[in-house]
Amino acid sequence: MTTTATVVTRTARLGLRATPEQEALLRRAAEVAHKSLTDFILDSACQAAEQTLLDQRLFTVLGNQYQDFLNFLDGPSEESKGLTELFSRTAPWDDS
């Protein structure tokens, strides 16, 4: 049985400054996770970034809230004076 390792070349450089306490905390956590400091920081930062982006796209509802949400989406839209006024304006790039 042969195993092939995927080698990823890192070319982007990120720089950051930390307090000595933050560095010690990160180094200890990386040790406990059996990772290099770089791998630990990158993995942690990427997890946080993914969660932040998912929070902008994904939300959960419970039980009958889901049906209420669908009914809301399928229902008629309400008149919005602000939107009506906004869309009646001439776009800045059309002012000639």
Side-chain angles (χ1 to χ4, degrees):
M1 179 175 171
T2 60
T3 309
T4 359
T6 304
V7 177
V8 177
T9 303
R10 294 178 179 160
T11 58
R13 183 171 181 85
L14 302 175
L16 59 97
R17 295 198 184 278
T19 65
E21 294 81 13
Q22 289 170 321
E23 181 188 14
L25 177 66
L26 290 169
R27 285 190 184 283
R28 179 70 184 122
E31 252 179 59
V32 169
H34 304 289
K35 294 181 178 183
S36 69
L37 182 59
T38 297
D39 286 341
F40 181 80
I41 291 172
L42 280 175
D43 289 349
S44 299
C46 286
Q47 285 176 6
E50 287 172 359
Q51 188 60 52
T52 298
L53 295 173
L54 281 173
D55 285 346
Q56 300 300 309
R57 297 176 177 229
L58 178 68
F59 60 94
T60 58
V61 293
L62 304 173
N64 65 340
Q65 290 177 330
Y66 179 70
Q67 189 57 51
D68 291 344
F69 178 67
L70 290 179
N71 292 341
F72 173 78
L73 291 177
D74 290 338
S77 60
E78 295 179 13
E79 177 87 17
S80 169
K81 284 176 37 176
L83 282 177
T84 301
E85 191 271 326
L86 176 65
F87 287 121
S88 67
R89 290 188 213 158
T90 304
W93 53 87
D94 288 339
D95 285 342
S96 305

